[in-house]
Amino acid sequence: MPSDYDLRSLNHERRMLAVYRRQAAHDAGALQPLANACWRAGCFEWALYGDAETVRRLWGEAAAALARGFARRQPGFDPSPDQLVLALHFAIAAREREAFNTLAMSAPNLREGALREARAFRSSRAHFHLAEGYALVARALVEQKPNPARAAVASLEAARAESDRGWWERQFPDPLDAAWRVSEHEAVCALLSAVARRVADDKSDEARAEADEATAEEFARTVDETLARLGHFLAHDPDHHPKLYAWLPGLALCALAASAGFPVDWLAERHERGAEGYERLPPELLRRTA
């Protein structure tokens, strides 16, 4: 429920946005703080006012800021894989096509490219594979070619295989937090893999329709299970998690699946019956703008 905390926090984030916008004009080191402030401000805007256009505008600003960092590779910007994944989430959820295209095309060779310079996540190969797989899916959609999507399937399989629970536990000492992060990583990989397979598919229309139905069911089950885990985490963790007022990765990946031609009737059905956790995938934030 909206609270004084949300209003105070929104006012704080608005002040920080003004600061980071000024700094980002000449300092690439401010791009990531700017994107983070956009994310937080969007969460508080949603909790207080439920204005999807305002939230999407903030997410679009975040996507554009991070896309600039990856495209220009200016001193001060840390091109870590988690930030590429986040940037793609923002771009898709905001329908920010220019940022999406930039992110897809500016990082075609992540194994040997700029992400190896990243200061963060150097010890987690799973994050590099996830970022690579996500960028390849994006590139396949931009170019309308299946080969990048086929490569993405292999990268995403590696991202799941190399997810080391011990690494998560070292980074997030709270066991509940670590368990949620592992679950979220697994879910993002699984959902992206489904989209990658759909884009890479060269079946006949009839065979594809049958495969789509089965894959959509698998996709829906993954979302169901992940939202249930998210609910458990929030119910048992005493800390406040405003960035989880709406589950950004889920919003982005459901939109991505729809753009790749997936059936999405299951999503409307879950909203209609008030399925557990689906308030964190608000329909207003999933609908396309005019």
Side-chain angles (χ1 to χ4, degrees), residues 27-155:
D27 178 10
L31 293 172
Q32 284 155 315
L34 173 59
N36 188 58
C38 286
W39 191 4
R40 288 177 60 85
C43 293
F44 295 123
E45 288 278 4
W46 179 252
L48 286 163
Y49 307 118
D51 184 346
E53 290 307 307
T54 297
V55 174
R56 273 195 285 264
R57 187 166 59 250
L58 286 162
W59 287 351
E61 182 178 359
L66 293 174
R68 172 186 150 192
F70 280 101
R72 299 185 185 179
R73 294 174 60 181
Q74 296 168 294
F77 182 80
D78 185 20
S80 58
D82 68 313
Q83 293 298 297
L84 181 62
V85 170
L86 182 60
L88 284 163
H89 288 336
F90 281 138
I92 297 165
R95 284 31 172 202
E96 182 56 59
R97 182 172 295 277
E98 183 176 350
F100 181 78
N101 291 350
T102 298
L103 292 161
M105 305 309 292
S106 66
N109 299 302
L110 299 185
R111 281 192 183 138
E112 304 301 330
L115 288 183
R116 289 304 187 193
E117 302 167 13
R119 293 187 293 274
F121 296 93
R122 278 183 175 156
S123 60
S124 173
R125 291 177 57 83
H127 284 83
F128 287 102
H129 288 302
L130 173 55
E132 180 178 58
Y134 208 162
L136 286 166
V137 173
R139 185 163 187 168
L141 289 169
V142 169
E143 295 182 338
Q144 293 294 296
K145 295 179 180 178
N147 285 343
R150 293 180 184 127
V153 173
S155 292

